Amino acid sequence: QVQLVESGGSSVQAGGSLRLSCVASGDISGDMYSRYCVAWFRQAPGKEREGVAVIHTGGTSTLHADSVSGRFTISQENAKNTVYLEMNGLKPEDTGMYYCAAVLTYGLACSLRYEYNYWGQGTQVTVSS
């Protein structure tokens, strides 16, 4: 089993910045940490869930959705089993619940279209105009 705990969500004004954190524990810890795709997803009320960014924990491979490219950056701190989402230039349309998700992988790259089977409880981001 893998446990994911998100934090860092808050209410900010448009143009502001936030950094979300996702701490992983359980089977993803230790030697297994380098074998996962860890992604951030978001869901606004009444809208479908959207993949935001993903990182391969075994290297530096990252992918960002077009809607956040240039504004959001996913990164990781392996020693802390933590994945971050740095969000700059926030817009009201970035409002939503942000979830961290993980899936074991044997490849070298990740996709937001993978079937992620571990999910956190989410952290709320609200951007006001």
Side-chain angles (χ1 to χ4, degrees), residues 111-124:
S111 171
L112 290 168
R113 297 182 178 181
Y114 285 172
E115 193 73 26
Y116 288 81
N117 52 345
Y118 299 108
W119 292 82
Q121 295 299 307
T123 185
Q124 177 68 36

Side-chain angles (χ1 to χ4, degrees), residues 1-119:
Q1 289 295 317
V2 172
Q3 293 79 45
L4 303 170
V5 179
E6 305 97 331
S7 63
S10 183
S11 296
V12 297
Q13 291 191 333
S17 299
L18 284 174
R19 188 177 77 161
L20 306 183
S21 299
C22 171
V23 179
S25 61
D27 290 346
I28 197 174
S29 302
D31 292 342
M32 288 299 295
Y33 181 78
S34 63
R35 303 181 187 181
Y36 282 82
C37 294
V38 178
W40 286 97
F41 290 82
R42 66 184 181 187
Q43 188 166 22
K47 294 187 176 181
E48 293 188 355
R49 187 173 61 200
E50 174 190 18
V52 175
V54 60
I55 189 167
H56 190 295
T57 57
T60 59
S61 173
T62 62
L63 179 69
H64 296 79
D66 290 343
S67 58
V68 304
S69 183
R71 299 188 299 123
F72 291 11
T73 303
I74 191 170
S75 64
Q76 63 180 333
E77 189 169 355
N78 290 20
K80 295 185 177 181
N81 287 1
T82 300
V83 172
Y84 303 101
L85 184 67
E86 188 77 35
M87 306 187 294
N88 298 312
L90 283 162
K91 305 175 181 179
E93 50 263 44
D94 293 320
T95 293
M97 186 69 78
Y98 282 69
Y99 298 92
C100 179
V103 64
L104 182 66
T105 182
Y106 296 98
L108 299 177
C110 297
S111 171
L112 290 168
R113 297 182 178 181
Y114 285 172
E115 193 73 26
Y116 288 81
N117 52 345
Y118 299 108
W119 292 82

